[in-house]
mmCIF file of all heavy atoms in Angstrom:
data_model
loop_
_atom_site.group_PDB
_atom_site.id
_atom_site.type_symbol
_atom_site.label_atom_id
_atom_site.label_comp_id
_atom_site.label_asym_id
_atom_site.label_seq_id
_atom_site.Cartn_x
_atom_site.Cartn_y
_atom_site.Cartn_z
ATOM 1 N N GLY R 11 56.688 215.477 205.813
ATOM 2 C CA GLY R 11 56.220 216.641 205.079
ATOM 3 C C GLY R 11 56.893 216.692 203.716
ATOM 4 O O GLY R 11 56.814 215.745 202.932
ATOM 5 N N ASN R 12 57.578 217.802 203.449
ATOM 6 C CA ASN R 12 58.331 217.912 202.195
ATOM 7 C C ASN R 12 59.835 217.938 202.473
ATOM 8 O O ASN R 12 60.602 218.560 201.753
ATOM 9 C CB ASN R 12 57.924 219.176 201.430
ATOM 10 C CG ASN R 12 58.411 219.153 199.987
ATOM 11 O OD1 ASN R 12 58.338 218.131 199.299
ATOM 12 N ND2 ASN R 12 58.936 220.276 199.516
ATOM 13 N N ARG R 13 60.233 217.202 203.516
ATOM 14 C CA ARG R 13 61.642 217.183 203.898
ATOM 15 C C ARG R 13 62.152 215.749 203.955
ATOM 16 O O ARG R 13 61.596 214.908 204.672
ATOM 17 C CB ARG R 13 61.833 217.840 205.267
ATOM 18 C CG ARG R 13 63.283 217.991 205.707
ATOM 19 C CD ARG R 13 63.930 219.172 205.034
ATOM 20 N NE ARG R 13 65.328 219.331 205.464
ATOM 21 C CZ ARG R 13 66.122 220.303 205.035
ATOM 22 N NH1 ARG R 13 65.631 221.226 204.197
ATOM 23 N NH2 ARG R 13 67.368 220.399 205.436
ATOM 24 N N ALA R 14 63.193 215.449 203.155
ATOM 25 C CA ALA R 14 63.836 214.141 203.224
ATOM 26 C C ALA R 14 64.774 214.131 204.423
ATOM 27 O O ALA R 14 65.640 215.006 204.550
ATOM 28 C CB ALA R 14 64.603 213.861 201.945
ATOM 29 N N LEU R 15 64.599 213.158 205.304
ATOM 30 C CA LEU R 15 65.351 213.119 206.560
ATOM 31 C C LEU R 15 66.602 212.265 206.465
ATOM 32 O O LEU R 15 67.653 212.629 206.985
ATOM 33 C CB LEU R 15 64.452 212.586 207.679
ATOM 34 C CG LEU R 15 63.136 213.338 207.902
ATOM 35 C CD1 LEU R 15 62.306 212.632 208.960
ATOM 36 C CD2 LEU R 15 63.403 214.783 208.301
ATOM 37 N N ARG R 16 66.474 211.133 205.841
ATOM 38 C CA ARG R 16 67.616 210.228 205.713
ATOM 39 C C ARG R 16 67.323 209.245 204.592
ATOM 40 O O ARG R 16 66.180 209.061 204.169
ATOM 41 C CB ARG R 16 67.905 209.494 207.017
ATOM 42 C CG ARG R 16 66.793 208.586 207.497
ATOM 43 C CD ARG R 16 67.073 208.040 208.899
ATOM 44 N NE ARG R 16 66.014 207.145 209.362
ATOM 45 C CZ ARG R 16 64.874 207.559 209.888
ATOM 46 N NH1 ARG R 16 64.615 208.847 210.006
ATOM 47 N NH2 ARG R 16 63.976 206.675 210.297
ATOM 48 N N ILE R 17 68.387 208.596 204.125
ATOM 49 C CA ILE R 17 68.268 207.593 203.058
ATOM 50 C C ILE R 17 68.941 206.318 203.533
ATOM 51 O O ILE R 17 70.071 206.344 204.038
ATOM 52 C CB ILE R 17 68.931 208.085 201.755
ATOM 53 C CG1 ILE R 17 68.227 209.353 201.249
ATOM 54 C CG2 ILE R 17 68.885 207.000 200.691
ATOM 55 C CD1 ILE R 17 68.878 209.942 200.006
ATOM 56 N N THR R 18 68.249 205.205 203.377
ATOM 57 C CA THR R 18 68.810 203.906 203.740
ATOM 58 C C THR R 18 68.683 202.954 202.562
ATOM 59 O O THR R 18 67.866 203.151 201.659
ATOM 60 C CB THR R 18 68.076 203.309 204.957
ATOM 61 O OG1 THR R 18 66.674 203.220 204.661
ATOM 62 C CG2 THR R 18 68.271 204.183 206.188
ATOM 63 N N GLY R 19 69.501 201.948 202.561
ATOM 64 C CA GLY R 19 69.397 200.911 201.547
ATOM 65 C C GLY R 19 68.259 199.969 201.860
ATOM 66 O O GLY R 19 68.019 199.616 203.022
ATOM 67 N N SER R 20 67.541 199.574 200.826
ATOM 68 C CA SER R 20 66.440 198.637 201.028
ATOM 69 C C SER R 20 66.976 197.279 201.467
ATOM 70 O O SER R 20 67.998 196.803 200.965
ATOM 71 C CB SER R 20 65.649 198.487 199.726
ATOM 72 O OG SER R 20 64.693 197.453 199.837
ATOM 73 N N LYS R 21 66.266 196.665 202.399
ATOM 74 C CA LYS R 21 66.658 195.335 202.871
ATOM 75 C C LYS R 21 66.007 194.220 202.058
ATOM 76 O O LYS R 21 66.219 193.034 202.349
ATOM 77 C CB LYS R 21 66.293 195.185 204.348
ATOM 78 C CG LYS R 21 67.055 196.146 205.259
ATOM 79 C CD LYS R 21 66.668 195.959 206.722
ATOM 80 C CE LYS R 21 67.432 196.930 207.621
ATOM 81 N NZ LYS R 21 67.050 196.767 209.052
ATOM 82 N N ARG R 22 65.233 194.580 201.044
ATOM 83 C CA ARG R 22 64.578 193.575 200.208
ATOM 84 C C ARG R 22 65.621 192.754 199.460
ATOM 85 O O ARG R 22 66.705 193.244 199.122
ATOM 86 C CB ARG R 22 63.626 194.254 199.224
ATOM 87 C CG ARG R 22 62.465 194.972 199.915
ATOM 88 C CD ARG R 22 61.796 195.967 199.004
ATOM 89 N NE ARG R 22 61.201 195.335 197.834
ATOM 90 C CZ ARG R 22 60.661 196.010 196.827
ATOM 91 N NH1 ARG R 22 60.656 197.345 196.849
ATOM 92 N NH2 ARG R 22 60.131 195.381 195.805
ATOM 93 N N ARG R 23 65.276 191.506 199.196
ATOM 94 C CA ARG R 23 66.189 190.596 198.508
ATOM 95 C C ARG R 23 65.544 190.115 197.215
ATOM 96 O O ARG R 23 64.323 189.969 197.129
ATOM 97 C CB ARG R 23 66.557 189.410 199.398
ATOM 98 C CG ARG R 23 67.363 189.825 200.633
ATOM 99 C CD ARG R 23 67.728 188.642 201.506
ATOM 100 N NE ARG R 23 68.513 189.041 202.661
ATOM 101 C CZ ARG R 23 69.833 189.154 202.663
ATOM 102 N NH1 ARG R 23 70.519 188.872 201.558
ATOM 103 N NH2 ARG R 23 70.474 189.524 203.758
ATOM 104 N N PHE R 24 66.396 189.824 196.224
ATOM 105 C CA PHE R 24 65.892 189.503 194.892
ATOM 106 C C PHE R 24 66.654 188.317 194.297
ATOM 107 O O PHE R 24 67.808 188.066 194.625
ATOM 108 C CB PHE R 24 66.041 190.718 193.970
ATOM 109 C CG PHE R 24 65.365 191.943 194.498
ATOM 110 C CD1 PHE R 24 66.072 192.891 195.230
ATOM 111 C CD2 PHE R 24 64.005 192.142 194.296
ATOM 112 C CE1 PHE R 24 65.446 194.017 195.732
ATOM 113 C CE2 PHE R 24 63.372 193.268 194.802
ATOM 114 C CZ PHE R 24 64.093 194.196 195.516
ATOM 115 N N GLY R 25 65.961 187.634 193.394
ATOM 116 C CA GLY R 25 66.576 186.524 192.689
ATOM 117 C C GLY R 25 66.670 185.284 193.549
ATOM 118 O O GLY R 25 66.411 185.306 194.765
ATOM 119 N N PRO R 26 67.067 184.170 192.948
ATOM 120 C CA PRO R 26 67.130 182.900 193.680
ATOM 121 C C PRO R 26 68.146 182.912 194.815
ATOM 122 O O PRO R 26 68.032 182.133 195.759
ATOM 123 C CB PRO R 26 67.513 181.886 192.596
ATOM 124 C CG PRO R 26 68.135 182.699 191.505
ATOM 125 C CD PRO R 26 67.437 184.018 191.528
ATOM 126 N N GLU R 27 69.133 183.811 194.733
ATOM 127 C CA GLU R 27 70.157 183.862 195.771
ATOM 128 C C GLU R 27 69.841 184.901 196.843
ATOM 129 O O GLU R 27 70.608 185.079 197.791
ATOM 130 C CB GLU R 27 71.518 184.157 195.137
ATOM 131 C CG GLU R 27 71.978 183.063 194.176
ATOM 132 C CD GLU R 27 73.285 183.425 193.502
ATOM 133 O OE1 GLU R 27 73.582 184.631 193.377
ATOM 134 O OE2 GLU R 27 74.014 182.503 193.121
ATOM 135 N N GLY R 28 68.710 185.595 196.677
ATOM 136 C CA GLY R 28 68.300 186.573 197.679
ATOM 137 C C GLY R 28 69.272 187.721 197.846
ATOM 138 O O GLY R 28 69.640 188.082 198.969
ATOM 139 N N ARG R 29 69.670 188.342 196.750
ATOM 140 C CA ARG R 29 70.670 189.414 196.811
ATOM 141 C C ARG R 29 70.011 190.763 197.076
ATOM 142 O O ARG R 29 68.907 191.039 196.624
ATOM 143 C CB ARG R 29 71.479 189.467 195.522
ATOM 144 C CG ARG R 29 72.339 188.221 195.342
ATOM 145 C CD ARG R 29 73.332 188.370 194.211
ATOM 146 N NE ARG R 29 74.153 187.179 194.116
ATOM 147 C CZ ARG R 29 75.288 186.990 194.794
ATOM 148 N NH1 ARG R 29 75.728 187.947 195.600
ATOM 149 N NH2 ARG R 29 75.972 185.879 194.656
ATOM 150 N N GLN R 30 70.732 191.591 197.800
ATOM 151 C CA GLN R 30 70.283 192.952 198.073
ATOM 152 C C GLN R 30 70.987 193.931 197.131
ATOM 153 O O GLN R 30 72.119 193.701 196.708
ATOM 154 C CB GLN R 30 70.578 193.327 199.526
ATOM 155 C CG GLN R 30 69.782 192.534 200.539
ATOM 156 C CD GLN R 30 70.173 192.881 201.968
ATOM 157 O OE1 GLN R 30 71.295 192.661 202.387
ATOM 158 N NE2 GLN R 30 69.225 193.435 202.716
ATOM 159 N N LEU R 31 70.309 195.025 196.838
ATOM 160 C CA LEU R 31 70.868 196.068 195.971
ATOM 161 C C LEU R 31 71.264 197.245 196.850
ATOM 162 O O LEU R 31 70.622 198.286 196.879
ATOM 163 C CB LEU R 31 69.841 196.477 194.912
ATOM 164 C CG LEU R 31 69.325 195.337 194.032
ATOM 165 C CD1 LEU R 31 68.216 195.831 193.116
ATOM 166 C CD2 LEU R 31 70.464 194.730 193.223
ATOM 167 N N LEU R 32 72.341 197.048 197.596
ATOM 168 C CA LEU R 32 72.733 197.991 198.635
ATOM 169 C C LEU R 32 73.543 199.152 198.066
ATOM 170 O O LEU R 32 74.295 198.998 197.104
ATOM 171 C CB LEU R 32 73.546 197.268 199.705
ATOM 172 C CG LEU R 32 72.784 196.177 200.475
ATOM 173 C CD1 LEU R 32 73.720 195.432 201.415
ATOM 174 C CD2 LEU R 32 71.624 196.789 201.252
ATOM 175 N N PRO R 33 73.412 200.317 198.675
ATOM 176 C CA PRO R 33 74.128 201.490 198.183
ATOM 177 C C PRO R 33 75.599 201.477 198.569
ATOM 178 O O PRO R 33 76.005 200.814 199.528
ATOM 179 C CB PRO R 33 73.396 202.649 198.863
ATOM 180 C CG PRO R 33 72.867 202.069 200.132
ATOM 181 C CD PRO R 33 72.501 200.651 199.793
ATOM 182 N N CYS R 34 76.388 202.247 197.814
ATOM 183 C CA CYS R 34 77.792 202.428 198.150
ATOM 184 C C CYS R 34 77.952 203.739 198.904
ATOM 185 O O CYS R 34 76.977 204.450 199.178
ATOM 186 C CB CYS R 34 78.653 202.410 196.892
ATOM 187 S SG CYS R 34 78.496 203.884 195.854
ATOM 188 N N VAL R 35 79.169 204.107 199.209
ATOM 189 C CA VAL R 35 79.434 205.290 200.029
ATOM 190 C C VAL R 35 78.956 206.576 199.351
ATOM 191 O O VAL R 35 78.626 207.557 200.027
ATOM 192 C CB VAL R 35 80.941 205.366 200.356
ATOM 193 C CG1 VAL R 35 81.771 205.625 199.109
ATOM 194 C CG2 VAL R 35 81.216 206.434 201.406
ATOM 195 N N ARG R 36 78.873 206.577 198.023
ATOM 196 C CA ARG R 36 78.445 207.793 197.318
ATOM 197 C C ARG R 36 77.020 208.203 197.701
ATOM 198 O O ARG R 36 76.684 209.387 197.686
ATOM 199 C CB ARG R 36 78.534 207.582 195.808
ATOM 200 C CG ARG R 36 79.956 207.391 195.284
ATOM 201 C CD ARG R 36 79.950 207.113 193.789
ATOM 202 N NE ARG R 36 81.273 206.900 193.261
ATOM 203 C CZ ARG R 36 81.893 205.724 193.231
ATOM 204 N NH1 ARG R 36 81.285 204.653 193.725
ATOM 205 N NH2 ARG R 36 83.101 205.603 192.719
ATOM 206 N N CYS R 37 76.179 207.222 198.013
ATOM 207 C CA CYS R 37 74.791 207.531 198.350
ATOM 208 C C CYS R 37 74.689 208.388 199.609
ATOM 209 O O CYS R 37 73.681 209.060 199.824
ATOM 210 C CB CYS R 37 73.990 206.247 198.525
ATOM 211 S SG CYS R 37 73.759 205.330 196.983
ATOM 212 N N GLY R 38 75.717 208.363 200.410
ATOM 213 C CA GLY R 38 75.722 209.198 201.596
ATOM 214 C C GLY R 38 75.762 210.684 201.288
ATOM 215 O O GLY R 38 75.553 211.520 202.178
ATOM 216 N N SER R 39 76.039 211.025 200.023
ATOM 217 C CA SER R 39 76.101 212.434 199.620
ATOM 218 C C SER R 39 74.773 212.956 199.091
ATOM 219 O O SER R 39 74.656 214.158 198.809
ATOM 220 C CB SER R 39 77.180 212.614 198.537
ATOM 221 O OG SER R 39 78.459 212.320 199.029
ATOM 222 N N TYR R 40 73.782 212.098 198.936
ATOM 223 C CA TYR R 40 72.559 212.500 198.250
ATOM 224 C C TYR R 40 71.830 213.642 198.961
ATOM 225 O O TYR R 40 71.426 214.620 198.321
ATOM 226 C CB TYR R 40 71.623 211.302 198.083
ATOM 227 C CG TYR R 40 72.025 210.345 196.987
ATOM 228 C CD1 TYR R 40 71.547 209.042 196.960
ATOM 229 C CD2 TYR R 40 72.882 210.729 195.967
ATOM 230 C CE1 TYR R 40 71.901 208.157 195.954
ATOM 231 C CE2 TYR R 40 73.252 209.852 194.960
ATOM 232 C CZ TYR R 40 72.759 208.572 194.960
ATOM 233 O OH TYR R 40 73.113 207.705 193.958
ATOM 234 N N LEU R 41 71.638 213.530 200.257
ATOM 235 C CA LEU R 41 70.916 214.591 200.961
ATOM 236 C C LEU R 41 71.760 215.851 201.082
ATOM 237 O O LEU R 41 71.226 216.966 201.065
ATOM 238 C CB LEU R 41 70.466 214.115 202.342
ATOM 239 C CG LEU R 41 69.380 213.037 202.362
ATOM 240 C CD1 LEU R 41 68.904 212.790 203.785
ATOM 241 C CD2 LEU R 41 68.211 213.410 201.467
ATOM 242 N N LYS R 42 73.075 215.697 201.204
ATOM 243 C CA LYS R 42 73.959 216.865 201.233
ATOM 244 C C LYS R 42 73.824 217.652 199.930
ATOM 245 O O LYS R 42 73.812 218.886 199.937
ATOM 246 C CB LYS R 42 75.410 216.424 201.420
ATOM 247 C CG LYS R 42 75.699 215.725 202.737
ATOM 248 C CD LYS R 42 75.699 216.699 203.898
ATOM 249 C CE LYS R 42 76.157 215.996 205.169
ATOM 250 N NZ LYS R 42 76.135 216.911 206.344
ATOM 251 N N ARG R 43 73.707 216.942 198.831
ATOM 252 C CA ARG R 43 73.560 217.595 197.533
ATOM 253 C C ARG R 43 72.171 218.223 197.399
ATOM 254 O O ARG R 43 72.029 219.350 196.916
ATOM 255 C CB ARG R 43 73.803 216.579 196.417
ATOM 256 C CG ARG R 43 73.692 217.151 195.001
ATOM 257 C CD ARG R 43 74.071 216.081 193.978
ATOM 258 N NE ARG R 43 73.797 216.496 192.616
ATOM 259 C CZ ARG R 43 74.617 217.191 191.835
ATOM 260 N NH1 ARG R 43 75.783 217.591 192.316
ATOM 261 N NH2 ARG R 43 74.286 217.510 190.599
ATOM 262 N N LEU R 44 71.146 217.480 197.821
ATOM 263 C CA LEU R 44 69.773 217.969 197.698
ATOM 264 C C LEU R 44 69.584 219.295 198.423
ATOM 265 O O LEU R 44 68.931 220.212 197.901
ATOM 266 C CB LEU R 44 68.805 216.916 198.247
ATOM 267 C CG LEU R 44 67.336 217.312 198.318
ATOM 268 C CD1 LEU R 44 66.751 217.488 196.912
ATOM 269 C CD2 LEU R 44 66.541 216.251 199.092
ATOM 270 N N TYR R 45 70.148 219.415 199.619
ATOM 271 C CA TYR R 45 69.899 220.592 200.446
ATOM 272 C C TYR R 45 71.112 221.527 200.547
ATOM 273 O O TYR R 45 71.194 222.353 201.456
ATOM 274 C CB TYR R 45 69.448 220.157 201.846
ATOM 275 C CG TYR R 45 68.099 219.479 201.823
ATOM 276 C CD1 TYR R 45 67.945 218.165 202.256
ATOM 277 C CD2 TYR R 45 66.978 220.145 201.340
ATOM 278 C CE1 TYR R 45 66.708 217.535 202.234
ATOM 279 C CE2 TYR R 45 65.734 219.525 201.310
ATOM 280 C CZ TYR R 45 65.605 218.219 201.754
ATOM 281 O OH TYR R 45 64.377 217.611 201.713
ATOM 282 N N HIS R 46 72.009 221.413 199.593
ATOM 283 C CA HIS R 46 73.207 222.263 199.623
ATOM 284 C C HIS R 46 72.820 223.719 199.359
ATOM 285 O O HIS R 46 72.035 224.014 198.450
ATOM 286 C CB HIS R 46 74.214 221.788 198.575
ATOM 287 C CG HIS R 46 75.594 222.300 198.804
ATOM 288 N ND1 HIS R 46 75.963 223.600 198.515
ATOM 289 C CD2 HIS R 46 76.706 221.702 199.306
ATOM 290 C CE1 HIS R 46 77.237 223.769 198.825
ATOM 291 N NE2 HIS R 46 77.714 222.637 199.310
ATOM 292 N N PRO R 47 73.354 224.642 200.132
ATOM 293 C CA PRO R 47 72.974 226.057 199.943
ATOM 294 C C PRO R 47 73.394 226.646 198.602
ATOM 295 O O PRO R 47 72.839 227.690 198.189
ATOM 296 C CB PRO R 47 73.687 226.766 201.104
ATOM 297 C CG PRO R 47 74.804 225.850 201.497
ATOM 298 C CD PRO R 47 74.291 224.472 201.261
ATOM 299 N N ASP R 48 74.333 226.037 197.927
ATOM 300 C CA ASP R 48 74.805 226.566 196.645
ATOM 301 C C ASP R 48 73.982 226.084 195.455
ATOM 302 O O ASP R 48 74.290 226.448 194.317
ATOM 303 C CB ASP R 48 76.274 226.192 196.417
ATOM 304 C CG ASP R 48 77.206 226.909 197.379
ATOM 305 O OD1 ASP R 48 76.769 227.896 197.992
ATOM 306 O OD2 ASP R 48 78.365 226.463 197.517
ATOM 307 N N ARG R 49 72.957 225.285 195.699
ATOM 308 C CA ARG R 49 72.132 224.848 194.570
ATOM 309 C C ARG R 49 71.485 226.044 193.877
ATOM 310 O O ARG R 49 71.064 227.009 194.534
ATOM 311 C CB ARG R 49 71.036 223.883 195.034
ATOM 312 C CG ARG R 49 71.473 222.429 195.103
ATOM 313 C CD ARG R 49 70.269 221.518 195.267
ATOM 314 N NE ARG R 49 69.427 221.490 194.074
ATOM 315 C CZ ARG R 49 68.219 220.949 194.030
ATOM 316 N NH1 ARG R 49 67.699 220.399 195.116
ATOM 317 N NH2 ARG R 49 67.520 220.959 192.911
ATOM 318 N N LEU R 50 71.388 225.971 192.575
ATOM 319 C CA LEU R 50 70.739 227.036 191.816
ATOM 320 C C LEU R 50 69.255 227.076 192.147
ATOM 321 O O LEU R 50 68.596 226.033 192.258
ATOM 322 C CB LEU R 50 70.938 226.814 190.320
ATOM 323 C CG LEU R 50 72.396 226.814 189.841
ATOM 324 C CD1 LEU R 50 72.463 226.430 188.361
ATOM 325 C CD2 LEU R 50 73.037 228.169 190.064
ATOM 326 N N LYS R 51 68.725 228.296 192.268
ATOM 327 C CA LYS R 51 67.327 228.462 192.674
ATOM 328 C C LYS R 51 66.463 229.088 191.582
ATOM 329 O O LYS R 51 65.260 228.832 191.523
ATOM 330 C CB LYS R 51 67.248 229.330 193.927
ATOM 331 C CG LYS R 51 67.986 228.774 195.141
ATOM 332 C CD LYS R 51 67.928 229.745 196.304
ATOM 333 C CE LYS R 51 68.605 229.185 197.551
ATOM 334 N NZ LYS R 51 70.060 229.002 197.351
#
């Protein structure tokens, strides 16, 4: 619907070495920030 449930890093690989563009620990805060009750409305 209009609710983000979770965020994962894409498993797609790029370049001749097949590298992934994986997230760091900060990305774990994205949904907490999106739905934080203190966000300005």
Side-chain angles (χ1 to χ4, degrees):
N12 194 42
R13 185 79 180 181
L15 304 175
R16 63 188 181 279
I17 298 177
T18 56
S20 172
K21 296 180 180 179
R22 296 162 62 186
R23 295 180 179 273
F24 304 95
E27 297 176 334
R29 294 191 178 272
Q30 294 176 296
L31 303 174
L32 296 174
C34 72
V35 67
R36 294 177 181 87
C37 292
S39 296
Y40 284 161
L41 292 187
K42 297 287 187 182
R43 181 175 171 87
L44 174 67
Y45 293 119
H46 198 284
D48 292 344
R49 274 193 69 191
L50 299 174
K51 300 176 177 65

